[in-house]
Amino acid sequence: MTDQAPAPYAGPERVLSGVQPTGDLHLGNYLGALVKFARLQHEIPTFIFVADMHAITVWQEPAKLKQQVREIAAAYLATGLDPKVATIFAQSAVPEHAELAWVFNCVARLGWLDRMTQFKDKAGKHKERESVGLYTYPVLQAADILVYKATKVPVGDDQKQHLELTRDIAQKFNNDFSAPGYFPLPEPLTQGPGARVMSLRDGTAKMSKSDPSDNSRINLTDDADAISQKVRKARTDPDPLPETMEGLEGRAEAKNLVTIYAALAGQSEAQVLAEFAGQGFGAFKPKLADLAVSVMGPIGGEMRRLLADPAEIDRILADGASRARELAAPTVAEVKKLVGYWAG
Ligand code: ADP
Ligand code: TRP
């Protein structure tokens, strides 16, 4: 007898992603995630949520959390997500995420979670003091994705491992419950020069909300002056730009600025070098600052305008949640049957 490959998932393509409401969004979030959301919504049905359940895996001030959710929603809208096209909602408004996450907690293996580098990075030396939620965080992420049977997940490079875990969970669930092809095996969408934007102060560290230096990142809410200042102060080296990317090996900060320019201009890094080869950072930085201001400046302004009308944001999120639930509820009902739960 030969083993037959299990039937693959045969349902429709769907895009899903989310961002945690845990601080100001920056250029890395924008290029690694948000710009892709706006682009994809016109190609494939797109579901984008604010991950407030993930946020509380580390302490969040309860009085501030709702406003933090609105800020991320405003960033989604300001970067071009259209609530009539994409489904935009808060994770905690769709309880099916948590229901599916419990089942997945029983599918995922401890050994799989032990390998997660994001947990190791966040927990540092004192993992016994972290919440259990921080440890099972990637299991909830798998539920976020699979409750909509999403097939494509636009994220930055740092999320690839969580997507591998999501595929492992989907495969084991399909196998364990004799449901071949029930869940898809979703793919991360990380292409493009913005998948890993580095700190402006240290070209070997990821640009991150949690970096204590505000000069390490360009925030979505920075005004034109702040953006230009940060680009001007960015760490570089005294050498001129080379003709090819190979010439940037060992020059992490220089490489990062070229990558950022390319991503913001919608060009390849090679095109950027073709234009600037031979020039030093004294010439390149003002061009990069102008470009960053022209792309990022209007986003901050639009966010402030949207946040002045929180009732409108709340209405958009409520509408998104009810559309999301229409899709999530049947999945959870089917899963309950497959698992053999008492309550269906
Ligand atoms: P942070 O790491 O700043 O806390 P999040 O973990 O909330 O950001 O990430 C939200 C989204 O932005 C994810 O898709 C993540 O992969 C992406 N992202 C975060 N930092 C970067 C970066 N420096 N470059 C590219 N994408 C990033
Ligand atoms: N873990 C993601 C991050 O840190 C946020 C997230 C939660 C997510 N659930 C998701 C991203 C589902 C994509 C799909 O950025």
Side-chain angles (χ1 to χ4, degrees):
M1 243 177 51
T2 51
D3 275 348
Q4 285 196 322
Y9 174 75
E13 297 273 18
R14 281 190 197 109
V15 166
L16 174 127
S17 195
V19 173
Q20 299 185 74
T22 49
D24 277 347
L25 291 180
H26 52 74
L27 182 65
N29 303 131
Y30 174 67
L31 293 174
L34 273 70
V35 270
K36 296 183 200 154
F37 304 168
R39 205 178 315 128
L40 286 160
Q41 67 181 336
H42 301 296
E43 296 167 18
I44 303 174
T46 294
F47 295 76
I48 304 293
F49 68 99
V50 186
D52 54 345
M53 292 163 65
H54 276 105
I56 65 159
T57 56
V58 298
W59 175 250
Q60 302 297 326
E61 216 41 76
K64 292 192 185 150
L65 190 53
K66 278 205 172 109
Q67 187 56 21
Q68 290 168 207
V69 170
R70 288 191 190 105
E71 282 169 17
I72 303 294
Y76 289 162
L77 298 168
T79 52
L81 268 186
D82 178 347
K84 290 192 221 65
V85 179
T87 303
I88 307 170
F89 59 100
Q91 187 184 27
S92 63
V94 183
E96 285 79 6
H97 291 232
E99 283 191 88
L100 186 59
W102 179 255
V103 176
F104 285 174
N105 269 322
C106 304
V107 172
R109 304 291 94 180
L110 279 175
W112 301 358
L113 287 182
D114 280 341
R115 287 197 285 274
M116 296 294 115
T117 53
Q118 192 171 66
F119 176 78
K120 289 185 208 167
D121 291 346
K122 286 192 181 173
K125 287 198 187 91
H126 296 290
K127 72 177 174 120
E128 66 285 351
R129 288 190 211 153
E130 296 298 339
S131 72
V132 176
L134 189 67
Y135 187 69
T136 66
Y137 176 117
V139 176
L140 177 59
Q141 183 162 349
D144 298 334
I145 298 167
L146 294 172
V147 82
Y148 304 101
K149 299 186 181 163
T151 53
K152 307 255 186 252
V153 184
V155 279
D157 256 357
D158 59 349
Q159 294 298 311
K160 277 187 176 162
Q161 199 185 32
H162 289 167
L163 264 291
E164 276 164 31
L165 182 94
T166 301
R167 286 199 294 278
D168 288 343
I169 290 176
Q171 202 147 31
K172 187 168 191 308
F173 180 96
N174 292 352
N175 224 1
D176 287 357
F177 297 102
S178 307
Y182 181 73
F183 282 123
L185 308 184
E187 295 290 333
L189 297 180
T190 55
Q191 300 91 323
R196 192 167 169 81
V197 177
M198 309 311 279
S199 156
L200 298 180
R201 309 296 310 158
D202 173 1
T204 62
K206 202 186 75 149
M207 185 178 284
S208 170
K209 292 173 200 161
S210 47
D211 192 315
S213 162
D214 193 55
N215 280 330
S216 71
R217 62 184 163 260
I218 297 175
N219 298 310
L220 245 47
T221 48
D222 283 345
D223 60 19
D225 278 353
I227 298 173
S228 308
Q229 281 251 4
K230 286 176 180 179
V231 172
R232 240 178 294 135
K233 284 194 186 145
R235 221 173 118 180
T236 42
D237 56 45
D239 295 343
L241 285 164
E243 276 168 21
T244 62
M245 283 307 278
E246 290 80 65
L248 287 173
E249 280 317 312
R251 297 172 65 188
E253 285 83 12
K255 188 169 176 212
N256 187 39
L257 294 189
V258 170
T259 302
I260 290 174
Y261 191 103
L264 285 172
Q267 293 177 347
S268 68
E269 288 144 331
Q271 281 172 309
V272 177
L273 290 180
E275 189 179 339
F276 290 101
Q279 300 189 31
F281 281 94
F284 183 70
K285 276 182 172 179
K287 294 271 168 49
L288 176 58
D290 287 350
L291 176 64
V293 168
S294 73
V295 177
M296 308 285 286
I299 297 175
E302 180 62 3
M303 278 179 71
R304 281 185 283 279
R305 191 189 69 75
L306 290 160
L307 286 165
D309 186 0
E312 174 62 7
I313 296 180
D314 294 1
R315 199 195 54 69
I316 289 169
L317 290 176
D319 176 57
S322 73
R323 278 153 56 197
R325 285 199 81 177
E326 278 172 29
L327 197 62
T331 308
V332 167
E334 287 160 359
V335 164
K336 285 177 171 175
K337 278 214 182 75
L338 286 167
V339 168
Y341 267 179
W342 178 265

